[in-house]
Amino acid sequence: MKIAPYLMFDGNCREAFTTYETIFGGRIVAMMDHRGTPAEAHVAAHWVDKIMHACLELDGQMLMASDAPPERSDGPMRSVSVSVNVPKIAEAERLFAALSEGAIIQMPMEETFWAPRFGMLRDRFGTNWMIGAEMPADRANCG
């Protein structure tokens, strides 16, 4: 079984995913807008260039997304966070700093009882992130 987060943006999916590709060092393997597809007939004219489906491959995992037309959405990123755990403190701090540009910091990057570094933010695209450095194996609880 594979579980992949699917993010719903309010029109800025293309910019968000190209930014995430740079920050995380992944590779966009799909970025499809509505234009030229059967879905084009079902969205407003100003929405045809918005993203219908995108996939960002990150170390063998997928982060997927699309732009949700306002009439078919209750708003982007409602009550969901993407949790990213990396082995090294320096990498956690780098990711947090890169995502922090224009973000709302909900919890600054700091040492916690469950991780040597952990922080939470809502980035400028509306995505909620939980970034952490992994706890040593003898103290880990959820991986």
Side-chain angles (χ1 to χ4, degrees), residues 94-112:
R94 183 192 71 78
L95 293 172
F96 192 85
L99 291 166
S100 291
E101 182 183 328
I104 297 169
I105 306 301
Q106 296 155 325
M107 179 180 174
M109 182 65 72
E110 59 189 26
E111 184 175 350
T112 67

Side-chain angles (χ1 to χ4, degrees), residues 10-82:
D10 62 358
N12 57 1
C13 180
R14 184 182 317 275
E15 181 186 3
F17 260 46
T18 56
T19 299
Y20 298 160
E21 180 181 43
T22 300
I23 290 172
F24 291 103
R27 183 174 66 96
I28 294 174
V29 295
M31 182 78 75
M32 180 187 326
D33 57 36
H34 294 86
R35 186 178 302 282
T37 73
E40 181 177 1
H42 302 283
V43 296
H46 69 280
W47 204 259
V48 297
D49 292 323
K50 301 299 181 188
I51 300 304
M52 183 175 74
H53 182 67
C55 294
L56 176 60
E57 184 178 23
L58 303 160
D59 280 337
Q61 302 175 86
M62 282 297 173
L63 180 63
M64 296 187 276
S66 65
D67 286 313
E71 67 276 6
R72 291 190 224 141
S73 172
D74 63 352
M77 314 309 172
R78 301 295 282 249
S79 300
V80 173
S81 294
V82 179

Side-chain angles (χ1 to χ4, degrees), residues 119-141:
M120 295 172 31
L121 59 86
R122 177 175 297 130
D123 73 16
R124 70 181 191 264
F125 306 110
T127 304
N128 294 306
W129 294 95
M130 299 165 66
I131 306 295
E134 294 174 358
M135 184 63 79
D138 63 337
R139 294 177 50 204
N141 62 10

